Every structure is written in structure tokens, then in C-alpha cells.
Amino acid sequence: MDETNEVLSKAPLFEALDEEGAAALRSSITEVRLGRGQTLFSEGDEGDRLYVMLSGKVKLTRKSADGRENLLAVLGPGEMLGELSLFDPGPRTASAVAVTDAVLAGLGHDDLRPFIMRQPEVAVHLLKALATRLRRTNDVVADLVFTDVPGRVAKALLDLAERFGKQSEDGLHVHHDLTQEELAQFVGASRETVNKALAEFALRGWLRIEAKAVVLLDVERLRRRAR
């Protein structure tokens, strides 16, 4: 429970609250457990609650009319999903699927809205989180137009490293848990083109490729390539 409370305290929903307020909000939480590949909600579903990641990873995806899938984000502990429907009560704009076994804290909008009315600073923090996500979306759109595939691969790896990386003596280990196809969807390119970029980075000594993971050996070179 202490570990759960620690993760929750870092989420935008809770970081503005004192202990009494956080305890009151935690009392409304429903724990949700997902196995790898299990769907939390689907694009078009009614959005009636938001979630905070407690452990594991969940991907947000959208499908085109012809069935192609775009991976919008990979979320880990402390991050939120489904919060858009709290302010815009429409259907879900993306699907959420577990990349690994995952545990989430669910909060229904009917429980959350009265709480926000009493604690308006919570709404401010939620809006800041939404603004951050919008900035990231704008960056992704710009990258698709102005940045080549190797640059986008470097940027995606650095983004995953920032949230999931663990430093060790031989480099920065990034266990992203994505398949080759999912990584390509995240970058917005074909699997072959992404694999070619990864192979080039490995040849240059910038990283080492492992199963559903990479070890970043030269972060500075990758940062330069991502610009």
C-alpha cells in the first residue's frame, strides 16, 4: 500500500493535495488489473472514468479506416490516461491496451467531479497534464513533417529512456517491452525502416539492441541525431 500511495502522489491528480485530501480521493479508487494484451477501453467507448498507472505499461493506440494502427503513447507508473473525457464527455479517442501485466487505479467521473469543485487546484494540475500531452502531440506532428525516420527513432528512444530507463555500468537500459511492429507504430514508419535505423545506430556504437529493449551507450550522439 505504501508503494501504491507513493506512485499516486506523483500523479497530477494527487500532487496538489494534502494528505487528508489524498486519503479522501483514494477511498474512491477501484483497482484494475490487466494481463499483457488485455484491453482497458477501446476507441469509441463511453468515457466515464480516468486511470492512474500503478505498475506495468499501457499503450494508447488509434486505428485508421483501413485498419492500420498508430501507437500514440506508452504510459508507465504515475502517468494518467482517460482524463480527457473528464472535461469533454464524449467517446474515447483512443484504445488502451496493456503492453505488460499492469495495475491501475480507476476513478469514476461521478466521484471526481464533486471533489474537483471543492478542490479547484486539482483541476489546474489536470489541465497542466493535458497541456503537456498536447505539446507532445504537437511535437510528434512536427516531427512527422520535418524529421527523418532515424531522427524520429532517436527521439522515441530518448523519450522511452526518460521514463523507463535505468542506468548501469554498461549504459542506460531501456526495457520498453514493445515488439518491432509496435516500435515502428510509435515512430510512425515501417518496421523495416525503423530496424534499419536501429541497426545503423548499433553499428555506430550508440546503442545495443536486446529483446524488447535497448541499451543506450552514447546518449549525447542520439540527442544530436534527434534534433
Side-chain angles (χ1 to χ4, degrees):
M1 181 60 70
D2 287 343
E3 186 177 344
T4 295
N5 290 342
E6 183 180 351
V7 174
L8 285 173
S9 68
K10 297 175 182 176
L13 184 61
F14 286 86
E15 61 185 1
L17 299 175
D18 57 22
E19 183 52 41
E20 183 180 353
L25 194 54
R26 285 197 297 268
S27 67
S28 301
I29 283 176
T30 301
E31 189 179 273
V32 179
R33 293 182 175 270
L34 299 174
R36 173 177 168 79
Q38 190 173 351
T39 298
L40 177 64
F41 54 75
S42 298
E43 185 178 350
D45 286 354
E46 180 184 356
D48 61 351
R49 62 185 51 236
L50 64 77
Y51 300 89
V52 178
M53 294 288 303
L54 298 178
S55 66
K57 297 183 183 73
V58 165
K59 65 178 181 177
L60 299 179
T61 66
R62 291 195 71 167
K63 276 191 175 180
S64 64
D66 60 6
R68 289 178 298 169
E69 193 168 78
N70 176 224
L71 201 162
L72 304 174
V74 182
L75 306 178
E79 295 187 278
M80 291 192 312
L81 60 156
E83 69 274 23
L84 183 62
S85 59
L86 180 65
F87 298 100
D88 180 21
R92 298 288 192 191
T93 58
S95 299
V97 180
V99 175
T100 66
D101 290 347
V103 181
L104 304 92
L107 275 160
H109 293 171
D110 290 342
D111 293 322
L112 197 50
R113 286 194 183 101
F115 188 86
I116 288 176
M117 295 298 290
R118 297 192 303 269
Q119 303 265 5
E121 64 273 19
V122 174
V124 173
H125 279 257
L126 284 172
L127 289 171
K128 284 181 179 178
L130 284 171
T132 299
R133 188 164 294 179
L134 179 58
R135 286 178 187 273
R136 184 176 295 178
T137 300
N138 288 342
D139 287 343
V140 169
V141 171
D143 287 340
L144 287 171
V145 176
F146 300 117
T147 307
D148 61 6
V149 172
R152 299 207 303 271
V153 171
K155 196 164 189 176
L157 294 177
L158 291 169
D159 174 63
L160 292 168
E162 185 177 339
R163 289 176 297 124
F164 305 119
K166 293 183 178 180
Q167 189 66 51
S168 66
E169 291 182 359
D170 63 337
L172 183 58
H173 285 248
V174 186
H175 205 92
H176 51 67
D177 290 295
L178 300 175
T179 65
Q180 291 182 346
E181 185 62 35
E182 287 171 332
L183 187 57
Q185 291 169 359
F186 190 39
V187 172
S190 69
R191 185 174 64 180
E192 293 76 16
T193 309
V194 171
N195 285 344
K196 183 178 178 181
L198 288 170
E200 179 188 340
F201 294 165
L203 187 63
R204 291 173 180 266
W206 297 354
L207 56 78
R208 184 173 70 248
I209 301 170
E210 297 183 351
K212 294 188 177 181
V214 293
V215 181
L216 305 188
L217 306 174
D218 195 333
V219 173
E220 187 54 40
R221 290 294 183 102
L222 284 168
R223 284 200 183 106
R224 291 178 194 167
R225 188 62 186 86
R227 290 173 187 155

